[in-house]
Amino acid sequence: MGPLISCDDRAVTISPQPPIEHTEPSGHSGHSHTAPGAGHGHSHSHSHGPAAPVSKHLRKVIAAVLIPFAAAVVIGLMVLWPGGAPAHERSGVGFDRQTQQGEVTALERVDCKSVNASQVPPTADVSTPEGREARAAQTGECKKATVEVVSGPEKGRTFIEIVQPGAPRQLADGQEVVVAYAPDAPRDLQYSVIDVNRKLPMAVLAGIFAVAVVLVGRMRGLFALIALGVSFAVLTLFILPAILQGSNPLVVAVVGASAIMLIALYMCHGLTARTSVAVLGTLVSLLLIGLLGSGFIDWAFLSGNTDDNTGLIHGLYPNIDMSGLLLAGVIIGSLGVLDDVTVTQTSAVWELRQADPTMGPRALYRAGIRIGRDHIASVVNTLVLAYAGAALPLLLLFSIANSSVGSVANSELVAEEIVRTLVGSIGLVASVPVTTALAALVVSADRPGSPDAAPASGPVLGGRGRRRKR
């Protein structure tokens, strides 16, 4: 028989063992001097080593909690499944434009005046940024790009794009671009360049990421990538279309996040009692985040409609609850960090129990919470800095305006990020004691002496079958 590969890519090799007498009347015979962790692969061994807390009794208790929850998630998916995003007539604004792929086939430098690209300030005031840019365009050199449409029904059509010297996006010969199509505009103005094509560098970066994850994580890394794909599928095929069809964003987010949590955790960490405790800890923390987020979003009168993108969504789909959409984002955004915390805390308690089987639930909790405090400090700092980094241009604008901290925090755009960060951080902090307590209670309530107990999941023997000394 070949090696059995677990989720973390540890080969459980059935190594050669001395012959075992199956006719021994007592489980103690022949095992009284066996060192803890020795390699007899029988579940009825009564050695003094720690037994893995996966007895039949424990599995029944956990299944009684998780099976109804998983069934509720499946029912929620079936009831709320949208069947695709609803169709709408494109507005031609922002992201809601018809786009095609294009390529710059020719590029020449021309005087801005010759192509009417320069604009004189109405007041001839060059003290303003707009005036200085217009003055520079008068005397500057523009680029005249010939762009060919390479996709869509008008493939092969060309148009001219003028790029001013101060434009943030410059074009190069042979560059792939994204062009917008406005069918109601005059023919010469129907196409325009709106962005560059970044698919190749993004694909290469994604490939490097996938290779790095698999090389370092091996089988566990591979399963993590599969779980990431499943999570993205749930997000794009269920959560987003269901919200667009008018379903309650909070309910959709809870059902979708629960489905992602169950699939990702069990796929990456295995269908074990340890993973089940992490699922329970994550679920409790998500409920806390949902309650806190709902309360403070209402209390702070956050509408969720703060920029051009959310305004466009509200204009196209006025039935969407934008504040509910904000809360859904808080829940989904917190899930990715939550499962890391809960899995780590559960594994820590399990390993502590295996290292010292005499530890009770109180001692396990105290030892586990000491580990969790270090985790809290690093994770909360990571979360806050992640949100601050995403909002850095906005914070820079407030700094330029010399706005006070109070006025910055009071603006709805920043208040949303503050609520998002602090509610998520409270949920992360709470997940540590909650998950640690659950793990300590579950692992202590196990019956390791039960004849139904599964084999110990301790150190795996190598090919020589040597025993680990304690």
Side-chain angles (χ1 to χ4, degrees):
M1 181 183 293
L4 305 177
I5 306 298
S6 65
C7 187
D8 57 354
D9 196 38
R10 291 179 293 185
V12 184
T13 307
I14 301 183
S15 50
Q17 299 293 335
I20 298 175
E21 293 293 332
H22 296 282
T23 58
E24 293 172 353
S26 172
H28 295 281
S29 176
H31 294 281
S32 59
H33 300 289
T34 301
H40 295 291
H42 286 271
S43 60
H44 298 283
S45 173
H46 292 277
S47 64
H48 298 288
V54 286
S55 66
K56 185 175 181 180
H57 165 73
L58 183 58
R59 290 198 299 268
K60 286 182 177 179
V61 172
I62 296 176
V65 178
L66 289 178
I67 288 179
F69 169 63
V73 171
V74 173
I75 293 174
L77 288 172
M78 295 173 61
V79 171
L80 297 172
W81 193 264
H88 72 280
E89 186 177 352
R90 291 186 178 272
S91 65
V93 179
F95 289 102
D96 195 42
R97 290 180 286 188
Q98 298 184 38
T99 60
Q100 300 293 345
Q101 302 300 313
E103 182 180 351
V104 178
T105 58
L107 191 68
E108 60 177 313
R109 298 182 181 275
V110 296
D111 185 19
C112 290
K113 288 183 178 181
S114 66
V115 291
N116 296 322
S118 61
Q119 294 179 356
V120 179
T123 61
D125 184 8
V126 294
S127 63
T128 63
E130 294 82 2
R132 287 193 295 270
E133 290 179 5
R135 181 66 66 183
Q138 270 191 312
T139 58
E141 190 177 51
C142 292
K143 292 181 180 178
K144 182 179 179 181
T146 302
V147 182
E148 179 183 354
V149 180
V150 297
S151 66
E154 294 191 308
K155 181 180 179 180
R157 178 177 168 178
T158 60
F159 65 96
I160 301 298
E161 181 81 9
I162 303 299
V163 183
Q164 297 188 13
R169 180 180 59 249
Q170 297 293 319
L171 300 179
D173 192 10
Q175 187 173 28
E176 296 181 350
V177 294
V178 179
V179 299
Y181 174 61
D184 297 333
R187 180 171 177 81
D188 293 341
L189 303 176
Q190 285 181 335
Y191 284 96
S192 61
V193 176
I194 59 171
D195 209 343
V196 298
N197 191 333
R198 303 181 181 89
K199 292 182 179 179
L200 180 59
M202 294 297 100
V204 171
L205 182 59
I208 295 173
F209 165 73
V211 170
V213 169
V214 174
L215 286 179
V216 177
R218 299 189 180 182
M219 285 300 294
R220 175 165 290 186
L222 178 61
F223 280 114
L225 290 177
I226 296 174
L228 179 62
V230 172
S231 301
F232 186 75
V234 172
L235 181 66
T236 56
L237 299 179
F238 171 69
I239 295 178
L240 299 181
I243 292 176
L244 290 177
Q245 283 198 345
S247 299
N248 188 300
L250 176 58
V251 176
V252 172
V254 169
V255 174
S258 299
I260 291 173
M261 174 184 65
L262 290 172
I263 295 171
L265 287 180
Y266 282 119
M267 183 175 291
C268 290
H269 304 285
L271 192 63
T272 63
R274 183 184 305 196
T275 308
S276 299
V277 172
V279 168
L280 290 175
T282 305
L283 175 61
V284 173
S285 303
L286 281 179
L287 291 176
L288 176 61
I289 289 174
L291 292 174
L292 284 174
S294 178
F296 279 93
I297 286 174
D298 290 340
W299 191 12
F301 296 100
L302 298 177
S303 65
N305 189 1
T306 54
D307 56 21
D308 294 339
N309 295 327
T310 53
L312 179 60
I313 293 172
H314 185 64
L316 295 174
Y317 300 94
N319 294 328
I320 293 180
D321 180 8
M322 300 304 294
S323 61
L325 185 62
L326 172 61
L327 180 57
V330 173
I331 293 174
I332 296 174
S334 302
L335 177 62
V337 188
L338 265 179
D339 60 8
D340 172 58
V341 174
T342 54
V343 168
T344 300
Q345 285 304 115
T346 306
S347 298
V349 173
W350 243 257
E351 295 301 326
L352 288 168
R353 173 71 172 185
Q354 286 196 317
D356 186 0
T358 63
M359 294 180 71
R362 190 181 298 272
L364 285 171
Y365 177 80
R366 287 198 299 264
I369 204 67
R370 285 195 295 269
I371 299 173
R373 290 191 185 106
D374 292 334
H375 207 182
I376 287 173
S378 61
V379 168
V380 169
N381 194 45
T382 300
L383 189 64
V384 172
L385 290 179
Y387 282 124
L392 196 58
L394 177 64
L395 297 177
L396 187 59
L397 287 176
F398 281 111
S399 178
I400 293 173
N402 293 322
S403 300
S404 65
V405 175
S407 62
V408 170
N410 189 66
S411 66
E412 184 173 0
L413 197 57
V414 176
E416 282 187 3
E417 298 302 324
I418 293 175
V419 170
R420 194 194 311 269
T421 302
L422 296 184
V423 168
S425 299
I426 292 171
L428 289 175
V429 172
S431 69
V432 172
V434 168
T435 308
T436 305
L438 284 173
L441 290 173
V442 168
V443 77
S444 301
D446 186 47
R447 301 171 182 174
S450 169
D452 295 317
S457 60
V460 181
L461 292 178
R464 299 181 183 179
R466 288 188 289 182
R467 301 173 181 174
R468 187 182 67 172
K469 295 183 180 180
R470 295 179 66 90

